[in-house]
Amino acid sequence: MRILLIPPDVRPQTLAHPVQLAQMAGAEIRVPPPAALPRLNEPGDTALLGSWLRREAPQADALIVCLETLTLGGMIPARRVSDPLEDVLKRLGTLEEARRLNPGLRILAFGVIVRVAHDNDPLEEKPYYGEWGRELRAYSAAFDRHDRHGEADLPALEAAMASLPAEILRDWVSTRERNRTLHLAALDSVRAGVIEHLCLTLDDTTPYGLAAHDRRLLEARADELNIWPQVDIYPGADEVPVTLLTRLLRDGVPRVYVQYSGPLGAAAGLLYEDRRAGELVQAHMRASGCVQVDHRAEADFILAVNTPGERQANVQPDYATVDTTARHLPAFVDFLRDALARGERVSLADIAYPNGAERRLWRLMQGLPLARLSGYAAWNTAGNTLGSAVSMGALPVRDERARIEALYSRLVDDALYQAEVRAQVRAGLTDPSPFDLGEQLPLANERMAELMGPPMQVLWDREFSGLGYRLRPGPPHLAWPRLFTGVFPLEVE
C-alpha cells in the first residue's frame, strides 16, 4: 500500500514515528517536501501542499491528512493565523479534487479542536495569550458552565467577560468558530463519501471549557448526519497519524486485552483529558479499529497500562495521587515478565505521569527483556501515549528491523530523555523559558547530545545488540527552541 501523509507538523512523534510504523507494517509512505510543512508556529505552505497532493494522489492508495495542515498551515498555526473561512474551505476542497483524480483513494482525516492552553504560552497560542491566558481560561470555563447549567453561572461568565479587552475576546473566539466550521464541513465530507474516516480530537482538554462546548456541537452534527461508524471524537492530537495508519494496515479487527497497573486503573483521573483512563482507552481503541476482550486468551495483544493510583500528577514522585496503595508496581512488572515469557504480544502505555515515563516503573523494568515488547510509549499526554501504544501493538510486523527502530526510538525519547535527561539539561541552563530558549538553545543542544549519548548506547548494548542489527545514531538535538521535544536521529540496519 502506498500512503500519503500530511502530518500536523515535523516533530518526531508526528512525522518520523508514523513513517517507522508504516515501514514496520510493510507499507510505503510519502510525505510532502519540508518546505510545505509547518515548524512550530510558522505555517506550512498550503498552496504547495495542495499541488503536492494533486500530483501524488493518482498513484496513491490512501491519504492520512491533518485538516489544519492542509487548510491553515499546521496544527499550531491554526490557532494563530487569520486566514478567512472562505480560503480555508476552498483548501478543504482539495480532498474532493484528489478523489476525482483517483476515485479509489481512501481518505482518512483528522482535525484538532482548538485547545484552551493550560499555560500562558505566547508562541503556540495567539501572542496575547502570554498576558491574558488566565483570563481567557476563566472565560472558557465560565462560558461552558453557563451553557450547561444556566442562569446560576451567569455572574461568573459576566465577570470573566468584564476582565478581558473586548477585541482580544472577539479575536480569540472568532478563531475557534472558524476552525469549528472547518470541522463541521469535514463531517459533511464524511456524509458525502469524500472522507472515509474522520477523527476530531481534543488537545489538552478539561471537563469544562470551550473545547468541550465545541465537542458537543460536533457530536450533535454527527448525530444529525448519522455517520458515527465513520467518526471518532475524543481526546488526542499528535498521535492520530499512527491511529489512522492502524485503521488502514491492521489485519482484521485486532482484539485487545487491557491490563492496568492497579484494580482501579480504569477510574484514574487524567490532567489533560476530559474523562477517566478507562474511557480514554476505549476511545483510542475504537479510533484505531480495535476491540477490547475480557479474556487474555482471546487477545491478539495485551495493552498494559500503567495508570496513577488515583490521578495523574506533574511532578515525580507523587505519593498523594500517583504512587498510592491503589496499585502495586512490582506485581504489574511481574505480569509483564510472565506475558513476555509466554511469547504474548505486549504493548506498554505508561500514563501515570504526563510528559515522560514514570521513573520508578522504568527502574523496575530493567530486568525485563525490553526488546520483546511489541510497543512502548510514555510521551506527552495520556492520549498521545495510548495512541502510540495501541498502534504498535495492533499493527502487523512485516519488517522486524523497522519494529526494532520504532521501539528503540520510543524508549530513548520517552524513558531516557523525557523522564530523565530533560531535567538535567534544564538544570544546566540559566532560568530557561519553557516557551523559547533564545540564546541558550546552542548550549541546550550541546548538553543534550552530551547527556543522551551514553544512556542511549547502554540501552542498545544491553537490550538490542544481540538481535543481529546495527545502530547508527546521529547527534541528538531539540526539535524547536524549547526543551519539550527532542530529536534523536537513528537508523537500525
Side-chain angles (χ1 to χ4, degrees):
M1 182 178 287
R2 174 180 283 192
I3 301 169
L4 308 179
L5 170 64
I6 298 179
D9 52 51
V10 296
R11 287 171 296 157
Q13 293 96 331
T14 57
L15 186 54
H17 186 42
V19 168
Q20 287 172 333
L21 294 190
Q23 293 172 344
M24 179 185 81
E28 176 188 354
I29 193 162
R30 296 178 64 82
V31 299
L37 295 175
R39 294 184 180 276
L40 189 50
N41 56 22
E42 298 178 8
D45 187 331
T46 55
L48 183 55
L49 283 169
S51 61
W52 176 83
L53 179 55
R54 285 186 287 269
R55 184 174 64 252
E56 294 284 343
Q59 294 81 39
D61 298 299
L63 165 67
I64 296 173
V65 54
C66 175
L67 297 175
E68 281 73 18
T69 305
L70 179 68
T71 65
L72 289 158
M75 182 178 69
I76 292 173
R79 305 195 287 256
R80 294 171 53 93
V81 300
S82 57
D83 298 28
L85 177 62
E86 180 182 2
D87 292 349
V88 172
L89 296 180
K90 183 178 179 181
R91 294 164 189 160
L92 179 65
T94 309
L95 298 181
E96 289 189 59
E97 294 182 56
R99 282 294 302 272
R100 284 196 295 269
L101 292 167
N102 180 357
L105 183 69
R106 301 174 62 186
I107 299 177
L108 286 74
F110 72 99
V112 182
I113 296 170
V114 179
R115 73 178 187 176
V116 178
H118 291 222
D119 299 314
N120 292 6
D121 186 341
L123 291 183
E124 291 196 29
E125 308 302 320
K126 296 273 189 175
Y128 52 68
Y129 201 86
E131 180 179 357
W132 295 99
R134 181 174 63 87
E135 290 80 4
L136 289 167
R137 287 191 292 275
Y139 170 82
S140 170
F143 179 94
D144 191 33
R145 287 183 179 276
H146 176 256
D147 185 65
R148 294 197 217 181
H149 306 309
E151 291 302 305
D153 288 286
L154 181 59
L157 175 59
E158 291 175 337
M161 293 176 65
S163 71
L164 283 160
E167 64 275 12
I168 285 179
L169 181 59
R170 183 167 50 250
D171 178 76
W172 194 62
V173 170
S174 66
T175 299
R176 301 190 63 89
E177 291 174 344
R178 180 202 59 195
N179 290 18
R180 185 176 67 230
T181 303
L182 166 66
H183 296 154
L184 289 167
L187 290 170
D188 290 339
S189 293
V190 173
R191 184 69 178 86
V194 175
I195 296 174
E196 175 182 315
H197 199 90
L198 175 66
C199 291
L200 297 176
T201 60
L202 298 99
D203 182 22
D204 293 357
T205 192
T206 54
Y208 281 95
L210 288 175
H213 174 73
D214 289 346
R215 171 181 56 76
R216 294 196 303 277
L217 294 177
L218 294 165
E219 289 173 342
R221 183 58 176 160
D223 287 340
E224 293 172 7
L225 296 174
N226 194 26
I227 54 173
W228 277 109
Q230 298 159 273
V231 171
D232 286 285
I233 304 176
Y234 63 101
D238 305 337
E239 80 295 334
V240 185
V242 299
T243 297
L244 293 178
L245 189 74
T246 306
R247 271 201 163 267
L248 281 173
L249 299 177
R250 61 194 165 139
D251 288 336
V253 178
R255 296 162 298 179
V256 189
Y257 178 79
V258 181
Q259 176 71 33
Y260 294 101
S261 55
L264 305 180
L270 306 171
L271 290 178
Y272 297 98
E273 282 82 14
D274 61 1
R275 61 202 69 190
R276 301 284 179 172
E279 289 301 317
L280 189 66
V281 168
Q282 290 283 356
H284 280 267
M285 285 197 294
R286 183 184 193 269
S288 63
C290 299
V291 296
Q292 185 171 347
V293 295
D294 295 328
H295 302 289
R296 184 170 166 182
E298 300 173 356
D300 296 307
F301 76 96
I302 295 169
L303 179 67
V305 187
N306 177 35
T307 49
E310 298 174 10
R311 182 173 175 79
Q312 282 183 324
N314 275 316
V315 179
Q316 301 189 43
D318 182 284
Y319 299 111
T321 65
V322 178
D323 196 8
T324 74
T325 54
R327 61 175 193 160
H328 189 50
L329 282 185
F332 182 61
V333 174
D334 289 344
F335 172 87
L336 298 175
R337 181 179 294 106
D338 175 70
L340 293 172
R342 293 170 181 240
E344 294 173 303
R345 288 176 57 85
V346 180
S347 189
L348 172 59
D350 184 354
I351 62 171
Y353 295 89
N355 304 318
E358 180 178 9
R359 291 192 288 270
R360 183 165 181 247
L361 175 63
W362 178 246
R363 287 193 293 269
L364 289 170
M365 289 170 55
Q366 296 315 294
L368 299 180
L370 298 180
R372 293 187 197 171
L373 287 170
S374 296
Y376 173 85
W379 60 282
N380 296 12
T381 67
N384 295 154
T385 285
L386 285 168
S388 285
V390 169
S391 293
M392 295 177 81
L395 283 167
V397 178
R398 298 190 173 96
D399 184 336
E400 178 66 7
R401 182 210 61 80
R403 184 194 76 83
I404 293 296
E405 186 174 283
L407 175 61
Y408 177 71
S409 295
R410 290 265 57 82
L411 293 167
V412 165
D413 190 348
D414 305 359
L416 299 186
Y417 178 67
Q418 293 192 40
E420 296 283 356
V421 172
R422 182 163 55 192
Q424 297 172 25
V425 175
R426 182 184 296 112
L429 304 178
T430 304
D431 192 23
S433 165
F435 309 123
D436 189 351
L437 292 174
E439 295 180 354
Q440 296 194 80
L441 176 60
L443 176 59
N445 279 328
E446 180 182 332
R447 284 186 56 81
M448 183 177 174
E450 174 186 337
L451 292 169
M452 281 298 297
M456 285 176 63
Q457 192 62 52
V458 167
L459 178 63
W460 176 265
D461 290 344
R462 188 183 68 224
E463 303 291 345
F464 296 93
S465 61
L467 301 179
Y469 298 95
R470 182 172 60 178
L471 175 67
R472 294 183 56 183
H477 58 278
L478 293 170
W480 295 336
R482 52 179 57 184
L483 295 173
F484 194 66
T485 305
V487 178
F488 308 97
L490 60 91
E491 183 177 346
V492 173
E493 59 182 21

